[in-house]
Amino acid sequence: MPNLSDQLDSQGRLRHLFMLEGLPASIYHELFARAESFVDPDTGGVRKTPLLRDKLVVNAFFEPSTRTRMSFEIAAKSLQAEVVNFDPESSSAAKGETLPDTLLTIAALGADAIVVRENEGGLIARHAPRLPAGVVLVNGGDGCHAHPSQGLLDAWTIVRQKGAVAGLSIAVIGDILHSRVARSLFQAFRTLGAARVVATGAPELVPAAEAERWGAVVERDVDQAVAGVDVIICLRYQYERMTSEDRSRSGGHESRFIIDAQRLALAAPDAIVLHPGPVNRDTEIASEVADGPSSRILEQVSNGVAMRMALLSMLLGR
Ligand code: CP
């Protein structure tokens, strides 16, 4: 598993971003403030600024992505960095070049930062020590292990809506078993002092011992889990990571765990609903909720750009 000591330098500053485990609250708050500084209060969009004018950011995504890859690209370009998108389908990865050799090659081509998505989990941190000093690695989602930039932008979205994570009651519902986002969120909520985090969903997709180790309470009854909460986070059923046996076990009964208007009404009157996307409409979340007034799904997407600007500018030392 990844070596946390490689993520922070000897003075506790962020050197790479592999996961949220071990990240001090001070770094979250610095990132939240930095992200806020990139938001134009008049338009709500991001302010362009030439902080990374001489830097090269490479996106190397070995799994599909819309939000993460595009928002890192928009973030880097908004900081006036050069951006290159590596395409595994048309690269030598398709001829069998390994991930570490690909990363070494991208670094040798002059990348200052490489944003990587891979499907095994843990590979990014494992290969970081082989890269030249000064080349920054950012985990853009690794298997079922971690999705730290999503965890940060989701936590910041909650902070922007509710003022703080501290003291909130939060329900996380859906395919927690396969969710790298859930693992990063549980870390963030613990560090930021959420009052209560409840994990719920189909029993075979909510690993109780693991969720409790991350500081969540497991509640099998979804109505009980969402009762009175301030925030509901829906997670996608990751059918592509399920075996055919898993699929036949969970297949068809997702509607028992869906967040629809009736369930949302059990939460606090001003509760907000998040989903990291992509959404399986009317499977884990009803369209009436995804498109309704409590939904903050598109705010999450927009906030992703400013948060990734904050991350890239912090990691590349400006
Ligand atoms: N939330 C998220 O990681 O979405 P993408 O797979 O589209 O990047």
Side-chain angles (χ1 to χ4, degrees):
M1 267 292 116
N3 185 356
L4 273 173
S5 61
D6 290 330
Q7 178 163 276
L8 301 176
D9 69 14
S10 57
Q11 289 166 323
R13 288 178 305 216
L14 200 60
R15 187 162 65 169
H16 302 285
L17 182 67
F18 303 142
M19 62 185 112
L20 297 186
E21 194 173 2
L23 208 69
S26 58
I27 290 186
Y28 286 79
H29 293 302
E30 191 183 339
L31 284 166
F32 296 163
R34 212 179 250 254
E36 202 62 60
S37 76
F38 289 125
V39 176
D40 181 335
D42 295 330
T43 65
V46 294
R47 264 195 267 257
K48 293 189 193 335
T49 169
L51 285 175
L52 300 186
R53 201 196 308 259
D54 54 348
K55 299 292 184 185
L56 173 61
V57 175
V58 176
N59 284 320
F61 278 54
F62 292 83
E63 269 191 1
S65 169
T66 298
R67 279 148 283 266
T68 312
R69 194 189 61 72
M70 287 182 70
S71 63
F72 268 112
E73 179 170 357
I74 295 164
K77 286 180 172 167
S78 299
L79 295 165
Q80 293 190 12
E82 294 290 330
V83 180
V84 171
N85 290 310
F86 165 89
D87 170 25
E89 304 288 319
S90 61
S91 77
S92 289
K95 294 186 278 190
E97 189 162 41
T98 63
L99 179 78
D101 283 338
T102 300
L103 295 181
L104 285 170
T105 301
I106 293 171
L109 287 166
D112 296 292
I114 313 174
V115 185
V116 187
R117 173 170 286 189
E118 56 91 1
N119 62 12
E120 201 171 300
L123 294 184
I124 300 162
R126 199 174 310 148
H127 298 306
R130 294 185 57 197
L131 289 182
V135 176
V136 164
L137 282 180
V138 182
N139 180 357
D142 59 337
C144 301
H145 172 242
H147 195 346
S149 66
Q150 182 74 46
L152 287 165
L153 77 89
D154 289 349
W156 183 49
T157 300
I158 294 170
V159 169
R160 296 190 92 201
Q161 295 289 323
K162 298 281 180 192
V165 168
L168 295 181
S169 178
I170 302 172
V172 181
I173 175 163
D175 182 0
I176 293 171
L177 181 67
H178 300 105
S179 178
R180 53 193 174 210
V181 178
R183 285 164 178 77
S184 291
L185 284 174
F186 288 130
Q187 293 293 341
F189 295 154
R190 180 145 62 178
T191 303
L192 296 172
R196 187 164 186 267
V197 179
V198 188
T200 189
E204 65 274 18
L205 296 176
V206 180
E210 215 182 343
E212 281 164 9
R213 202 166 57 246
W214 302 324
V217 176
V218 175
E219 171 55 67
R220 296 293 179 201
D221 182 317
V222 181
D223 289 349
Q224 288 292 330
V226 300
V229 298
D230 304 295
V231 181
I232 297 175
I233 298 182
C234 300
L235 299 172
R236 181 174 72 90
Y237 286 91
Q238 301 198 24
Y239 296 111
E240 75 279 13
R241 295 190 203 279
M242 295 183 193
T243 61
S244 51
E245 200 178 298
D246 287 338
R247 266 195 296 270
S248 61
R249 269 208 306 265
S250 72
H253 68 239
E254 293 92 336
S255 61
R256 284 170 35 206
F257 308 100
I258 194 170
I259 294 298
D260 55 14
Q262 209 177 339
R263 274 213 168 107
L264 175 57
L266 300 172
D270 60 348
I272 56 171
V273 180
L274 276 64
H275 189 310
V279 168
N280 292 315
R281 276 180 177 268
D282 301 310
T283 302
E284 64 263 359
I285 184 169
S287 286
E288 63 193 358
V289 175
D291 302 329
S294 303
S295 172
R296 295 295 179 272
I297 296 172
L298 293 177
E299 282 88 340
Q300 288 172 268
V301 177
S302 302
N303 288 343
V305 177
M307 177 49 71
R308 285 159 177 143
M309 288 174 78
L311 270 171
L312 289 173
S313 63
M314 180 187 277
L315 284 161
L316 291 171
R318 307 290 172 89

